[in-house]
PDB file of all heavy atoms in Angstrom:
ATOM      1  N   GLU A1395      -3.482  -8.434   0.587  1.00 97.00           N
ATOM      2  CA  GLU A1395      -3.778  -9.192   1.788  1.00 97.00           C
ATOM      3  C   GLU A1395      -2.557  -9.252   2.683  1.00 97.00           C
ATOM      4  O   GLU A1395      -1.538  -9.841   2.302  1.00 97.00           O
ATOM      5  CB  GLU A1395      -4.229 -10.608   1.434  1.00 97.00           C
ATOM      6  CG  GLU A1395      -5.491 -10.670   0.600  1.00 97.00           C
ATOM      7  CD  GLU A1395      -5.834 -12.077   0.164  1.00 97.00           C
ATOM      8  OE1 GLU A1395      -5.418 -13.036   0.842  1.00 97.00           O
ATOM      9  OE2 GLU A1395      -6.491 -12.212  -0.872  1.00 97.00           O
ATOM     10  N   ASN A1396      -2.646  -8.630   3.854  1.00 97.00           N
ATOM     11  CA  ASN A1396      -1.598  -8.681   4.878  1.00 97.00           C
ATOM     12  C   ASN A1396      -0.217  -8.315   4.324  1.00 97.00           C
ATOM     13  O   ASN A1396       0.775  -8.980   4.606  1.00 97.00           O
ATOM     14  CB  ASN A1396      -1.563 -10.060   5.530  1.00 97.00           C
ATOM     15  CG  ASN A1396      -2.891 -10.422   6.136  1.00 97.00           C
ATOM     16  OD1 ASN A1396      -3.529  -9.596   6.791  1.00 97.00           O
ATOM     17  ND2 ASN A1396      -3.347 -11.634   5.909  1.00 97.00           N
ATOM     18  N   VAL A1397      -0.153  -7.252   3.548  1.00 97.00           N
ATOM     19  CA  VAL A1397       1.087  -6.831   2.900  1.00 97.00           C
ATOM     20  C   VAL A1397       1.946  -6.021   3.878  1.00 97.00           C
ATOM     21  O   VAL A1397       1.456  -5.107   4.540  1.00 97.00           O
ATOM     22  CB  VAL A1397       0.773  -5.999   1.638  1.00 97.00           C
ATOM     23  CG1 VAL A1397       2.032  -5.463   1.010  1.00 97.00           C
ATOM     24  CG2 VAL A1397       0.006  -6.834   0.636  1.00 97.00           C
ATOM     25  N   THR A1398       3.232  -6.361   3.953  1.00 97.00           N
ATOM     26  CA  THR A1398       4.186  -5.671   4.811  1.00 97.00           C
ATOM     27  C   THR A1398       5.450  -5.394   4.021  1.00 97.00           C
ATOM     28  O   THR A1398       5.918  -6.246   3.264  1.00 97.00           O
ATOM     29  CB  THR A1398       4.533  -6.531   6.045  1.00 97.00           C
ATOM     30  OG1 THR A1398       3.358  -6.715   6.819  1.00 97.00           O
ATOM     31  CG2 THR A1398       5.590  -5.878   6.913  1.00 97.00           C
ATOM     32  N   LEU A1399       5.997  -4.191   4.198  1.00 96.00           N
ATOM     33  CA  LEU A1399       7.271  -3.824   3.573  1.00 96.00           C
ATOM     34  C   LEU A1399       8.114  -3.068   4.579  1.00 96.00           C
ATOM     35  O   LEU A1399       7.624  -2.137   5.227  1.00 96.00           O
ATOM     36  CB  LEU A1399       7.044  -2.960   2.329  1.00 96.00           C
ATOM     37  CG  LEU A1399       8.321  -2.545   1.593  1.00 96.00           C
ATOM     38  CD1 LEU A1399       9.006  -3.752   0.972  1.00 96.00           C
ATOM     39  CD2 LEU A1399       8.026  -1.510   0.538  1.00 96.00           C
ATOM     40  N   LYS A1400       9.365  -3.475   4.697  1.00 95.00           N
ATOM     41  CA  LYS A1400      10.304  -2.825   5.610  1.00 95.00           C
ATOM     42  C   LYS A1400      11.513  -2.342   4.828  1.00 95.00           C
ATOM     43  O   LYS A1400      11.949  -2.985   3.886  1.00 95.00           O
ATOM     44  CB  LYS A1400      10.759  -3.801   6.694  1.00 95.00           C
ATOM     45  CG  LYS A1400       9.638  -4.277   7.572  1.00 95.00           C
ATOM     46  CD  LYS A1400      10.133  -5.211   8.656  1.00 95.00           C
ATOM     47  CE  LYS A1400       8.968  -5.650   9.524  1.00 95.00           C
ATOM     48  NZ  LYS A1400       9.399  -6.445  10.672  1.00 95.00           N
ATOM     49  N   PHE A1401      12.025  -1.193   5.229  1.00 93.00           N
ATOM     50  CA  PHE A1401      13.278  -0.665   4.710  1.00 93.00           C
ATOM     51  C   PHE A1401      14.265  -0.697   5.865  1.00 93.00           C
ATOM     52  O   PHE A1401      14.224   0.168   6.736  1.00 93.00           O
ATOM     53  CB  PHE A1401      13.118   0.768   4.199  1.00 93.00           C
ATOM     54  CG  PHE A1401      12.198   0.893   3.010  1.00 93.00           C
ATOM     55  CD1 PHE A1401      10.947   1.466   3.143  1.00 93.00           C
ATOM     56  CD2 PHE A1401      12.578   0.443   1.767  1.00 93.00           C
ATOM     57  CE1 PHE A1401      10.097   1.594   2.062  1.00 93.00           C
ATOM     58  CE2 PHE A1401      11.742   0.558   0.676  1.00 93.00           C
ATOM     59  CZ  PHE A1401      10.506   1.136   0.822  1.00 93.00           C
ATOM     60  N   GLY A1402      15.116  -1.710   5.903  1.00 90.00           N
ATOM     61  CA  GLY A1402      16.014  -1.854   7.041  1.00 90.00           C
ATOM     62  C   GLY A1402      15.202  -2.098   8.293  1.00 90.00           C
ATOM     63  O   GLY A1402      14.388  -3.008   8.357  1.00 90.00           O
ATOM     64  N   GLY A1403      15.395  -1.262   9.298  1.00 90.00           N
ATOM     65  CA  GLY A1403      14.657  -1.399  10.545  1.00 90.00           C
ATOM     66  C   GLY A1403      13.365  -0.625  10.590  1.00 90.00           C
ATOM     67  O   GLY A1403      12.666  -0.624  11.599  1.00 90.00           O
ATOM     68  N   VAL A1404      13.008   0.055   9.485  1.00 92.00           N
ATOM     69  CA  VAL A1404      11.800   0.881   9.452  1.00 92.00           C
ATOM     70  C   VAL A1404      10.696   0.140   8.703  1.00 92.00           C
ATOM     71  O   VAL A1404      10.872  -0.267   7.559  1.00 92.00           O
ATOM     72  CB  VAL A1404      12.066   2.240   8.759  1.00 92.00           C
ATOM     73  CG1 VAL A1404      10.791   3.053   8.662  1.00 92.00           C
ATOM     74  CG2 VAL A1404      13.148   3.003   9.488  1.00 92.00           C
ATOM     75  N   THR A1405       9.555  -0.016   9.360  1.00 93.00           N
ATOM     76  CA  THR A1405       8.400  -0.638   8.715  1.00 93.00           C
ATOM     77  C   THR A1405       7.590   0.445   8.024  1.00 93.00           C
ATOM     78  O   THR A1405       7.009   1.310   8.669  1.00 93.00           O
ATOM     79  CB  THR A1405       7.527  -1.373   9.756  1.00 93.00           C
ATOM     80  OG1 THR A1405       8.328  -2.338  10.429  1.00 93.00           O
ATOM     81  CG2 THR A1405       6.358  -2.073   9.078  1.00 93.00           C
ATOM     82  N   ALA A1406       7.577   0.399   6.687  1.00 94.00           N
ATOM     83  CA  ALA A1406       6.869   1.414   5.907  1.00 94.00           C
ATOM     84  C   ALA A1406       5.378   1.098   5.797  1.00 94.00           C
ATOM     85  O   ALA A1406       4.539   1.999   5.867  1.00 94.00           O
ATOM     86  CB  ALA A1406       7.481   1.524   4.514  1.00 94.00           C
ATOM     87  N   VAL A1407       5.050  -0.169   5.600  1.00 95.00           N
ATOM     88  CA  VAL A1407       3.664  -0.626   5.519  1.00 95.00           C
ATOM     89  C   VAL A1407       3.579  -1.907   6.332  1.00 95.00           C
ATOM     90  O   VAL A1407       4.391  -2.813   6.145  1.00 95.00           O
ATOM     91  CB  VAL A1407       3.233  -0.894   4.054  1.00 95.00           C
ATOM     92  CG1 VAL A1407       1.829  -1.462   3.988  1.00 95.00           C
ATOM     93  CG2 VAL A1407       3.333   0.372   3.220  1.00 95.00           C
ATOM     94  N   ASN A1408       2.604  -1.978   7.232  1.00 96.00           N
ATOM     95  CA  ASN A1408       2.515  -3.125   8.124  1.00 96.00           C
ATOM     96  C   ASN A1408       1.139  -3.778   8.058  1.00 96.00           C
ATOM     97  O   ASN A1408       0.136  -3.185   8.451  1.00 96.00           O
ATOM     98  CB  ASN A1408       2.817  -2.695   9.564  1.00 96.00           C
ATOM     99  CG  ASN A1408       2.950  -3.868  10.505  1.00 96.00           C
ATOM    100  OD1 ASN A1408       3.313  -4.952  10.098  1.00 96.00           O
ATOM    101  ND2 ASN A1408       2.664  -3.632  11.768  1.00 96.00           N
ATOM    102  N   ASN A1409       1.107  -4.986   7.499  1.00 96.00           N
ATOM    103  CA  ASN A1409      -0.087  -5.820   7.530  1.00 96.00           C
ATOM    104  C   ASN A1409      -1.303  -5.143   6.891  1.00 96.00           C
ATOM    105  O   ASN A1409      -2.409  -5.190   7.435  1.00 96.00           O
ATOM    106  CB  ASN A1409      -0.384  -6.226   8.974  1.00 96.00           C
ATOM    107  CG  ASN A1409      -1.090  -7.560   9.059  1.00 96.00           C
ATOM    108  OD1 ASN A1409      -0.932  -8.403   8.188  1.00 96.00           O
ATOM    109  ND2 ASN A1409      -1.861  -7.750  10.102  1.00 96.00           N
ATOM    110  N   LEU A1410      -1.129  -4.535   5.728  1.00 96.00           N
ATOM    111  CA  LEU A1410      -2.204  -3.837   5.030  1.00 96.00           C
ATOM    112  C   LEU A1410      -3.049  -4.816   4.226  1.00 96.00           C
ATOM    113  O   LEU A1410      -2.521  -5.637   3.483  1.00 96.00           O
ATOM    114  CB  LEU A1410      -1.620  -2.785   4.075  1.00 96.00           C
ATOM    115  CG  LEU A1410      -2.622  -2.092   3.150  1.00 96.00           C
ATOM    116  CD1 LEU A1410      -3.545  -1.187   3.955  1.00 96.00           C
ATOM    117  CD2 LEU A1410      -1.903  -1.312   2.078  1.00 96.00           C
ATOM    118  N   SER A1411      -4.350  -4.723   4.374  1.00 97.00           N
ATOM    119  CA  SER A1411      -5.292  -5.492   3.566  1.00 97.00           C
ATOM    120  C   SER A1411      -6.340  -4.542   3.009  1.00 97.00           C
ATOM    121  O   SER A1411      -6.858  -3.689   3.736  1.00 97.00           O
ATOM    122  CB  SER A1411      -5.986  -6.569   4.401  1.00 97.00           C
ATOM    123  OG  SER A1411      -5.072  -7.535   4.845  1.00 97.00           O
ATOM    124  N   LEU A1412      -6.632  -4.677   1.722  1.00 95.00           N
ATOM    125  CA  LEU A1412      -7.696  -3.906   1.089  1.00 95.00           C
ATOM    126  C   LEU A1412      -8.124  -4.614  -0.176  1.00 95.00           C
ATOM    127  O   LEU A1412      -7.385  -5.422  -0.728  1.00 95.00           O
ATOM    128  CB  LEU A1412      -7.267  -2.461   0.788  1.00 95.00           C
ATOM    129  CG  LEU A1412      -6.108  -2.203  -0.168  1.00 95.00           C
ATOM    130  CD1 LEU A1412      -6.595  -2.125  -1.606  1.00 95.00           C
ATOM    131  CD2 LEU A1412      -5.446  -0.895   0.193  1.00 95.00           C
ATOM    132  N   SER A1413      -9.337  -4.322  -0.610  1.00 95.00           N
ATOM    133  CA  SER A1413      -9.813  -4.875  -1.876  1.00 95.00           C
ATOM    134  C   SER A1413     -10.645  -3.822  -2.591  1.00 95.00           C
ATOM    135  O   SER A1413     -11.383  -3.063  -1.960  1.00 95.00           O
ATOM    136  CB  SER A1413     -10.632  -6.151  -1.659  1.00 95.00           C
ATOM    137  OG  SER A1413     -11.756  -5.897  -0.882  1.00 95.00           O
ATOM    138  N   ILE A1414     -10.473  -3.787  -3.897  1.00 95.00           N
ATOM    139  CA  ILE A1414     -11.165  -2.808  -4.730  1.00 95.00           C
ATOM    140  C   ILE A1414     -11.917  -3.584  -5.808  1.00 95.00           C
ATOM    141  O   ILE A1414     -11.310  -4.378  -6.542  1.00 95.00           O
ATOM    142  CB  ILE A1414     -10.171  -1.822  -5.374  1.00 95.00           C
ATOM    143  CG1 ILE A1414      -9.354  -1.124  -4.285  1.00 95.00           C
ATOM    144  CG2 ILE A1414     -10.910  -0.821  -6.245  1.00 95.00           C
ATOM    145  CD1 ILE A1414      -8.184  -0.338  -4.799  1.00 95.00           C
ATOM    146  N   ASN A1415     -13.206  -3.360  -5.883  1.00 95.00           N
ATOM    147  CA  ASN A1415     -14.034  -4.034  -6.876  1.00 95.00           C
ATOM    148  C   ASN A1415     -14.078  -3.233  -8.171  1.00 95.00           C
ATOM    149  O   ASN A1415     -13.856  -2.020  -8.173  1.00 95.00           O
ATOM    150  CB  ASN A1415     -15.449  -4.237  -6.335  1.00 95.00           C
ATOM    151  CG  ASN A1415     -15.462  -5.152  -5.138  1.00 95.00           C
ATOM    152  OD1 ASN A1415     -14.803  -6.177  -5.118  1.00 95.00           O
ATOM    153  ND2 ASN A1415     -16.212  -4.765  -4.121  1.00 95.00           N
ATOM    154  N   GLU A1416     -14.382  -3.916  -9.252  1.00 94.00           N
ATOM    155  CA  GLU A1416     -14.494  -3.265 -10.556  1.00 94.00           C
ATOM    156  C   GLU A1416     -15.553  -2.170 -10.488  1.00 94.00           C
ATOM    157  O   GLU A1416     -16.623  -2.345  -9.920  1.00 94.00           O
ATOM    158  CB  GLU A1416     -14.861  -4.286 -11.626  1.00 94.00           C
ATOM    159  CG  GLU A1416     -14.818  -3.731 -13.022  1.00 94.00           C
ATOM    160  CD  GLU A1416     -14.973  -4.793 -14.082  1.00 94.00           C
ATOM    161  OE1 GLU A1416     -14.948  -5.983 -13.750  1.00 94.00           O
ATOM    162  OE2 GLU A1416     -15.118  -4.401 -15.251  1.00 94.00           O
ATOM    163  N   GLY A1417     -15.240  -0.999 -11.026  1.00 93.00           N
ATOM    164  CA  GLY A1417     -16.161   0.120 -11.062  1.00 93.00           C
ATOM    165  C   GLY A1417     -16.102   1.029  -9.845  1.00 93.00           C
ATOM    166  O   GLY A1417     -16.714   2.085  -9.841  1.00 93.00           O
ATOM    167  N   GLU A1418     -15.377   0.623  -8.807  1.00 93.00           N
ATOM    168  CA  GLU A1418     -15.255   1.452  -7.610  1.00 93.00           C
ATOM    169  C   GLU A1418     -14.221   2.549  -7.820  1.00 93.00           C
ATOM    170  O   GLU A1418     -13.246   2.379  -8.541  1.00 93.00           O
ATOM    171  CB  GLU A1418     -14.811   0.619  -6.409  1.00 93.00           C
ATOM    172  CG  GLU A1418     -15.882  -0.214  -5.796  1.00 93.00           C
ATOM    173  CD  GLU A1418     -15.416  -0.900  -4.521  1.00 93.00           C
ATOM    174  OE1 GLU A1418     -14.258  -1.338  -4.444  1.00 93.00           O
ATOM    175  OE2 GLU A1418     -16.234  -0.997  -3.607  1.00 93.00           O
ATOM    176  N   VAL A1419     -14.455   3.672  -7.163  1.00 93.00           N
ATOM    177  CA  VAL A1419     -13.474   4.744  -7.089  1.00 93.00           C
ATOM    178  C   VAL A1419     -12.860   4.649  -5.703  1.00 93.00           C
ATOM    179  O   VAL A1419     -13.578   4.581  -4.701  1.00 93.00           O
ATOM    180  CB  VAL A1419     -14.130   6.121  -7.306  1.00 93.00           C
ATOM    181  CG1 VAL A1419     -13.115   7.225  -7.129  1.00 93.00           C
ATOM    182  CG2 VAL A1419     -14.773   6.182  -8.676  1.00 93.00           C
ATOM    183  N   PHE A1420     -11.544   4.629  -5.637  1.00 90.00           N
ATOM    184  CA  PHE A1420     -10.849   4.369  -4.383  1.00 90.00           C
ATOM    185  C   PHE A1420      -9.770   5.415  -4.190  1.00 90.00           C
ATOM    186  O   PHE A1420      -9.074   5.782  -5.127  1.00 90.00           O
ATOM    187  CB  PHE A1420     -10.216   2.972  -4.443  1.00 90.00           C
ATOM    188  CG  PHE A1420      -9.633   2.511  -3.146  1.00 90.00           C
ATOM    189  CD1 PHE A1420     -10.417   1.876  -2.210  1.00 90.00           C
ATOM    190  CD2 PHE A1420      -8.294   2.711  -2.869  1.00 90.00           C
ATOM    191  CE1 PHE A1420      -9.888   1.441  -1.011  1.00 90.00           C
ATOM    192  CE2 PHE A1420      -7.749   2.286  -1.678  1.00 90.00           C
ATOM    193  CZ  PHE A1420      -8.543   1.645  -0.744  1.00 90.00           C
ATOM    194  N   ALA A1421      -9.620   5.909  -2.965  1.00 93.00           N
ATOM    195  CA  ALA A1421      -8.566   6.871  -2.642  1.00 93.00           C
ATOM    196  C   ALA A1421      -7.780   6.359  -1.446  1.00 93.00           C
ATOM    197  O   ALA A1421      -8.352   5.791  -0.511  1.00 93.00           O
ATOM    198  CB  ALA A1421      -9.165   8.230  -2.324  1.00 93.00           C
ATOM    199  N   LEU A1422      -6.499   6.557  -1.475  1.00 93.00           N
ATOM    200  CA  LEU A1422      -5.623   6.228  -0.364  1.00 93.00           C
ATOM    201  C   LEU A1422      -5.086   7.550   0.156  1.00 93.00           C
ATOM    202  O   LEU A1422      -4.327   8.227  -0.538  1.00 93.00           O
ATOM    203  CB  LEU A1422      -4.493   5.313  -0.847  1.00 93.00           C
ATOM    204  CG  LEU A1422      -3.608   4.675   0.199  1.00 93.00           C
ATOM    205  CD1 LEU A1422      -4.427   3.808   1.146  1.00 93.00           C
ATOM    206  CD2 LEU A1422      -2.558   3.820  -0.485  1.00 93.00           C
ATOM    207  N   VAL A1423      -5.507   7.928   1.352  1.00 95.00           N
ATOM    208  CA  VAL A1423      -5.152   9.234   1.897  1.00 95.00           C
ATOM    209  C   VAL A1423      -4.423   9.064   3.227  1.00 95.00           C
ATOM    210  O   VAL A1423      -4.585   8.065   3.918  1.00 95.00           O
ATOM    211  CB  VAL A1423      -6.389  10.137   2.092  1.00 95.00           C
ATOM    212  CG1 VAL A1423      -7.047  10.444   0.770  1.00 95.00           C
ATOM    213  CG2 VAL A1423      -7.376   9.514   3.041  1.00 95.00           C
ATOM    214  N   GLY A1424      -3.609  10.049   3.550  1.00 93.00           N
ATOM    215  CA  GLY A1424      -2.894  10.047   4.823  1.00 93.00           C
ATOM    216  C   GLY A1424      -1.821  11.111   4.807  1.00 93.00           C
ATOM    217  O   GLY A1424      -1.520  11.706   3.769  1.00 93.00           O
ATOM    218  N   PRO A1425      -1.210  11.341   5.954  1.00 94.00           N
ATOM    219  CA  PRO A1425      -0.170  12.372   6.044  1.00 94.00           C
ATOM    220  C   PRO A1425       1.123  11.928   5.356  1.00 94.00           C
ATOM    221  O   PRO A1425       1.280  10.757   4.990  1.00 94.00           O
ATOM    222  CB  PRO A1425       0.033  12.525   7.550  1.00 94.00           C
ATOM    223  CG  PRO A1425      -0.340  11.197   8.111  1.00 94.00           C
ATOM    224  CD  PRO A1425      -1.453  10.694   7.242  1.00 94.00           C
ATOM    225  N   ASN A1426       2.043  12.877   5.206  1.00 93.00           N
ATOM    226  CA  ASN A1426       3.355  12.549   4.656  1.00 93.00           C
ATOM    227  C   ASN A1426       3.984  11.433   5.475  1.00 93.00           C
ATOM    228  O   ASN A1426       3.915  11.440   6.702  1.00 93.00           O
ATOM    229  CB  ASN A1426       4.277  13.773   4.696  1.00 93.00           C
ATOM    230  CG  ASN A1426       3.838  14.847   3.737  1.00 93.00           C
ATOM    231  OD1 ASN A1426       3.028  14.615   2.856  1.00 93.00           O
ATOM    232  ND2 ASN A1426       4.366  16.048   3.920  1.00 93.00           N
ATOM    233  N   GLY A1427       4.579  10.482   4.787  1.00 88.00           N
ATOM    234  CA  GLY A1427       5.260   9.391   5.463  1.00 88.00           C
ATOM    235  C   GLY A1427       4.352   8.250   5.893  1.00 88.00           C
ATOM    236  O   GLY A1427       4.796   7.336   6.569  1.00 88.00           O
ATOM    237  N   ALA A1428       3.090   8.287   5.488  1.00 91.00           N
ATOM    238  CA  ALA A1428       2.148   7.249   5.904  1.00 91.00           C
ATOM    239  C   ALA A1428       2.273   5.960   5.092  1.00 91.00           C
ATOM    240  O   ALA A1428       1.734   4.939   5.484  1.00 91.00           O
ATOM    241  CB  ALA A1428       0.719   7.770   5.813  1.00 91.00           C
ATOM    242  N   GLY A1429       2.954   6.009   3.936  1.00 91.00           N
ATOM    243  CA  GLY A1429       3.150   4.809   3.128  1.00 91.00           C
ATOM    244  C   GLY A1429       2.314   4.743   1.869  1.00 91.00           C
ATOM    245  O   GLY A1429       2.260   3.703   1.212  1.00 91.00           O
ATOM    246  N   LYS A1430       1.677   5.837   1.488  1.00 94.00           N
ATOM    247  CA  LYS A1430       0.823   5.840   0.290  1.00 94.00           C
ATOM    248  C   LYS A1430       1.613   5.507  -0.972  1.00 94.00           C
ATOM    249  O   LYS A1430       1.217   4.637  -1.741  1.00 94.00           O
ATOM    250  CB  LYS A1430       0.136   7.200   0.123  1.00 94.00           C
ATOM    251  CG  LYS A1430      -0.738   7.615   1.296  1.00 94.00           C
ATOM    252  CD  LYS A1430      -1.301   9.012   1.125  1.00 94.00           C
ATOM    253  CE  LYS A1430      -0.244  10.087   1.011  1.00 94.00           C
ATOM    254  NZ  LYS A1430       0.478  10.371   2.251  1.00 94.00           N
ATOM    255  N   SER A1431       2.721   6.173  -1.188  1.00 95.00           N
ATOM    256  CA  SER A1431       3.549   5.913  -2.373  1.00 95.00           C
ATOM    257  C   SER A1431       4.156   4.520  -2.317  1.00 95.00           C
ATOM    258  O   SER A1431       4.296   3.849  -3.340  1.00 95.00           O
ATOM    259  CB  SER A1431       4.674   6.943  -2.487  1.00 95.00           C
ATOM    260  OG  SER A1431       4.139   8.225  -2.699  1.00 95.00           O
ATOM    261  N   THR A1432       4.480   4.063  -1.136  1.00 95.00           N
ATOM    262  CA  THR A1432       5.033   2.719  -0.978  1.00 95.00           C
ATOM    263  C   THR A1432       4.012   1.670  -1.395  1.00 95.00           C
ATOM    264  O   THR A1432       4.357   0.691  -2.067  1.00 95.00           O
ATOM    265  CB  THR A1432       5.480   2.492   0.483  1.00 95.00           C
ATOM    266  OG1 THR A1432       6.439   3.496   0.822  1.00 95.00           O
ATOM    267  CG2 THR A1432       6.095   1.126   0.669  1.00 95.00           C
ATOM    268  N   VAL A1433       2.748   1.857  -1.035  1.00 96.00           N
ATOM    269  CA  VAL A1433       1.696   0.928  -1.454  1.00 96.00           C
ATOM    270  C   VAL A1433       1.586   0.922  -2.975  1.00 96.00           C
ATOM    271  O   VAL A1433       1.536  -0.143  -3.601  1.00 96.00           O
ATOM    272  CB  VAL A1433       0.339   1.293  -0.801  1.00 96.00           C
ATOM    273  CG1 VAL A1433      -0.800   0.486  -1.415  1.00 96.00           C
ATOM    274  CG2 VAL A1433       0.401   1.082   0.700  1.00 96.00           C
ATOM    275  N   PHE A1434       1.561   2.095  -3.590  1.00 95.00           N
ATOM    276  CA  PHE A1434       1.501   2.178  -5.052  1.00 95.00           C
ATOM    277  C   PHE A1434       2.703   1.466  -5.684  1.00 95.00           C
ATOM    278  O   PHE A1434       2.566   0.733  -6.664  1.00 95.00           O
ATOM    279  CB  PHE A1434       1.463   3.647  -5.499  1.00 95.00           C
ATOM    280  CG  PHE A1434       1.457   3.801  -6.988  1.00 95.00           C
ATOM    281  CD1 PHE A1434       0.301   3.598  -7.713  1.00 95.00           C
ATOM    282  CD2 PHE A1434       2.618   4.125  -7.668  1.00 95.00           C
ATOM    283  CE1 PHE A1434       0.292   3.719  -9.093  1.00 95.00           C
ATOM    284  CE2 PHE A1434       2.625   4.258  -9.047  1.00 95.00           C
ATOM    285  CZ  PHE A1434       1.461   4.051  -9.765  1.00 95.00           C
ATOM    286  N   ASN A1435       3.883   1.661  -5.117  1.00 96.00           N
ATOM    287  CA  ASN A1435       5.094   1.026  -5.652  1.00 96.00           C
ATOM    288  C   ASN A1435       5.090  -0.488  -5.471  1.00 96.00           C
ATOM    289  O   ASN A1435       5.685  -1.208  -6.275  1.00 96.00           O
ATOM    290  CB  ASN A1435       6.342   1.650  -5.029  1.00 96.00           C
ATOM    291  CG  ASN A1435       6.636   3.018  -5.577  1.00 96.00           C
ATOM    292  OD1 ASN A1435       6.353   3.318  -6.734  1.00 96.00           O
ATOM    293  ND2 ASN A1435       7.180   3.883  -4.744  1.00 96.00           N
ATOM    294  N   MET A1436       4.427  -1.001  -4.454  1.00 96.00           N
ATOM    295  CA  MET A1436       4.292  -2.455  -4.318  1.00 96.00           C
ATOM    296  C   MET A1436       3.318  -3.004  -5.355  1.00 96.00           C
ATOM    297  O   MET A1436       3.558  -4.057  -5.941  1.00 96.00           O
ATOM    298  CB  MET A1436       3.835  -2.827  -2.905  1.00 96.00           C
ATOM    299  CG  MET A1436       4.928  -2.711  -1.869  1.00 96.00           C
ATOM    300  SD  MET A1436       4.480  -3.412  -0.279  1.00 96.00           S
ATOM    301  CE  MET A1436       3.208  -2.269   0.264  1.00 96.00           C
ATOM    302  N   ILE A1437       2.212  -2.293  -5.590  1.00 95.00           N
ATOM    303  CA  ILE A1437       1.244  -2.731  -6.594  1.00 95.00           C
ATOM    304  C   ILE A1437       1.888  -2.742  -7.983  1.00 95.00           C
ATOM    305  O   ILE A1437       1.677  -3.658  -8.769  1.00 95.00           O
ATOM    306  CB  ILE A1437      -0.019  -1.840  -6.574  1.00 95.00           C
ATOM    307  CG1 ILE A1437      -0.771  -2.028  -5.261  1.00 95.00           C
ATOM    308  CG2 ILE A1437      -0.928  -2.143  -7.766  1.00 95.00           C
ATOM    309  CD1 ILE A1437      -1.859  -1.002  -5.010  1.00 95.00           C
ATOM    310  N   SER A1438       2.698  -1.727  -8.269  1.00 94.00           N
ATOM    311  CA  SER A1438       3.334  -1.633  -9.589  1.00 94.00           C
ATOM    312  C   SER A1438       4.585  -2.493  -9.692  1.00 94.00           C
ATOM    313  O   SER A1438       5.216  -2.539 -10.739  1.00 94.00           O
ATOM    314  CB  SER A1438       3.670  -0.180  -9.915  1.00 94.00           C
ATOM    315  OG  SER A1438       4.639   0.309  -9.005  1.00 94.00           O
ATOM    316  N   ARG A1439       4.952  -3.183  -8.591  1.00 94.00           N
ATOM    317  CA  ARG A1439       6.076  -4.116  -8.531  1.00 94.00           C
ATOM    318  C   ARG A1439       7.445  -3.431  -8.516  1.00 94.00           C
ATOM    319  O   ARG A1439       8.472  -4.044  -8.783  1.00 94.00           O
ATOM    320  CB  ARG A1439       6.009  -5.144  -9.668  1.00 94.00           C
ATOM    321  CG  ARG A1439       4.779  -6.026  -9.612  1.00 94.00           C
ATOM    322  CD  ARG A1439       4.771  -6.999  -8.441  1.00 94.00           C
ATOM    323  NE  ARG A1439       5.815  -7.993  -8.643  1.00 94.00           N
ATOM    324  CZ  ARG A1439       6.820  -8.207  -7.780  1.00 94.00           C
ATOM    325  NH1 ARG A1439       6.880  -7.563  -6.669  1.00 94.00           N
ATOM    326  NH2 ARG A1439       7.742  -9.087  -8.040  1.00 94.00           N
ATOM    327  N   PHE A1440       7.484  -2.146  -8.195  1.00 96.00           N
ATOM    328  CA  PHE A1440       8.761  -1.463  -7.999  1.00 96.00           C
ATOM    329  C   PHE A1440       9.411  -1.968  -6.715  1.00 96.00           C
ATOM    330  O   PHE A1440      10.623  -2.111  -6.642  1.00 96.00           O
ATOM    331  CB  PHE A1440       8.542   0.049  -7.956  1.00 96.00           C
ATOM    332  CG  PHE A1440       9.811   0.843  -7.964  1.00 96.00           C
ATOM    333  CD1 PHE A1440      10.563   0.964  -9.121  1.00 96.00           C
ATOM    334  CD2 PHE A1440      10.260   1.461  -6.810  1.00 96.00           C
ATOM    335  CE1 PHE A1440      11.746   1.685  -9.126  1.00 96.00           C
ATOM    336  CE2 PHE A1440      11.436   2.189  -6.806  1.00 96.00           C
ATOM    337  CZ  PHE A1440      12.182   2.301  -7.964  1.00 96.00           C
TER     338      PHE A1440
END
């Protein structure tokens, strides 16, 4: 819910909200540098 992460002056993820229900298949897609790995690293608490 409304997740934001910045690296210095660069905003990697800005105000992201999503929800995944049990049993759903979910994909996060986008070009290089879109923040996909950053979202995964926030979920995993890195």
Side-chain angles (χ1 to χ4, degrees):
E1395 299 175 25
N1396 303 316
V1397 176
T1398 297
L1399 181 67
K1400 297 182 179 186
F1401 295 108
V1404 177
T1405 303
V1407 176
N1408 189 27
N1409 209 27
L1410 173 69
S1411 295
L1412 62 88
S1413 61
I1414 303 169
N1415 296 316
E1416 188 171 351
E1418 283 186 322
V1419 176
F1420 188 86
L1422 190 60
V1423 296
N1426 291 345
K1430 301 175 300 289
S1431 296
T1432 302
V1433 170
F1434 178 78
N1435 286 328
M1436 285 190 292
I1437 294 168
S1438 65
R1439 298 291 292 122
F1440 189 74

